[in-house]
Amino acid sequence: MSAYAGYSKTSYGAQGGDDSGGFFAGGSQPGSQGGKSYQDESLRPVTVKQILEADEAFSGADFKIDNTAITQITFVGQVRNINPQPTNVTLKIDDGTGQIEVKKWIDADKADDGNADQYELDSYVRVWGRLKSFSNKRHVGAHVIRPVTDFNEVNYHLLEATYVHLYLTRGPLGQDGAANGGGESMFVDSGAYGGNANGGGSGQMLSKVSGCGPLAKRMFNFMNGTPGMNEGVHLNVISSSTGMSVRDVLAAADELLGQGLIYTTVDDETWAILEC
């Protein structure tokens, strides 16, 4: 179990137990009344793209992501704009998949609460809050915004959000099919893992690779043919094995990352293929 400033998570698919947050695939909260589903009060790790594309049947209805109702959400991104007001501070947060406004109301009883001086442009922050909609424009009402001090948290969050997305769209590990249908990518419009059991995802991946430049293709083909790299392939290994310069590998990695074909693992210079 790990925790972020009061946010704790248990194993995915667990039922009951820890009531301090975390994703739960189902079950009812112990001691709850009226059979209320635990996931109604769960904390869901998401990307900004998922927030912007969340389903809302009508104004005031619960938002749904992957056909699952959400209440509290958490995400990580960079501060792109800071707009302080007498009663609140509004930040524009960018996580690489999109941008959204985050509004933090100021508690007059807490001198430092909502102080715009505590946020820095281009710094990374983690947000906890609820998705809201006003005049057809979405924003996140933040309970907590805190700076990210370890960049590993950025990569960890994206992996955790990916895991939850795949769990809800494809079911638990080791099961074929999807829990709630498709499995469209949360990062790009046609995800590398967005296909179904008939091989659609592989076709999408091949289509994306074919549209890449020669350096990106060479890097992808090398990684795809390198078995036993569970933690990914490091920059130096790719460079020495393919004959590409470090600069060429970094450029190829940027292209493949932009296409949603690879992701960073243990550090910013180690990548793995996003499996279909």
Side-chain angles (χ1 to χ4, degrees):
M1 182 181 295
S2 61
Y4 292 112
Y7 159 61
S8 297
K9 71 178 193 308
T10 60
S11 300
Y12 294 104
Q15 297 183 2
D18 189 351
D19 62 356
S20 56
F23 165 77
F24 291 84
S28 299
Q29 181 177 359
S32 63
Q33 297 181 356
K36 183 178 180 181
S37 175
Y38 202 121
Q39 63 190 5
D40 289 343
E41 292 300 331
S42 64
L43 180 62
R44 170 81 183 265
V46 295
T47 64
V48 172
K49 183 175 187 291
Q50 288 180 295
I51 295 173
L52 297 175
E53 295 183 354
D55 296 324
E56 184 184 19
F58 54 88
S59 179
D62 289 339
F63 289 95
K64 288 187 176 182
I65 297 177
D66 300 325
N67 203 32
T68 303
I70 60 168
T71 52
Q72 301 182 69
I73 57 175
T74 182
F75 64 99
V76 175
Q78 281 184 286
V79 179
R80 296 303 191 189
N81 186 55
I82 304 172
N83 182 21
Q85 299 292 332
T87 58
N88 66 79
V89 58
T90 301
L91 309 178
K92 182 170 287 186
I93 306 296
D94 183 346
D95 73 343
T97 71
Q99 295 185 357
I100 193 167
E101 288 188 346
V102 175
K103 189 183 298 290
K104 178 72 168 65
W105 293 95
I106 297 173
D107 187 344
D109 296 331
K110 298 180 180 179
D112 296 331
D113 188 64
N115 188 348
D117 294 338
Q118 64 185 297
Y119 308 115
E120 297 182 6
L121 285 175
D122 297 327
S123 64
Y124 280 87
V125 295
R126 176 177 282 274
V127 177
W128 288 266
R130 293 178 182 268
L131 177 56
K132 300 179 181 294
S133 179
F134 181 74
S135 297
N136 294 321
K137 183 179 180 181
R138 297 181 179 183
H139 73 278
V140 174
H143 305 314
V144 178
I145 304 175
R146 70 153 175 78
V148 170
T149 57
D150 184 351
F151 191 78
N152 287 326
E153 184 175 345
V154 178
N155 295 328
Y156 169 81
H157 172 76
L158 290 176
L159 289 172
E160 184 181 25
T162 302
Y163 187 99
V164 175
H165 167 72
L166 292 176
Y167 184 99
L168 291 172
T169 57
R170 295 195 170 193
L173 291 175
Q175 291 188 7
D176 294 330
N180 290 313
E184 183 179 351
S185 173
M186 52 196 276
F187 298 107
V188 292
D189 290 337
S190 297
Y193 54 77
N196 50 33
N198 63 12
S202 298
Q204 291 175 359
M205 176 177 283
L206 291 175
S207 176
K208 287 191 174 187
V209 174
S210 64
C212 292
L215 293 176
K217 288 180 181 177
R218 187 191 306 180
M219 175 175 169
F220 183 88
N221 289 335
F222 169 74
M223 294 176 62
N224 195 39
T226 304
M229 294 292 185
N230 294 329
E231 294 185 350
V233 188
H234 190 267
L235 165 69
N236 294 334
V237 175
I238 298 172
S239 177
S240 60
S241 300
T242 62
M244 298 167 61
S245 67
V246 170
R247 178 176 297 180
D248 286 345
V249 174
L250 290 173
D254 285 342
E255 185 174 356
L256 294 173
L257 285 167
Q259 290 294 327
L261 293 169
I262 63 173
Y263 63 96
T264 55
T265 58
V266 295
D267 58 41
D268 291 340
E269 295 180 348
T270 304
W271 305 278
I273 292 176
L274 195 60
E275 299 288 349
C276 287

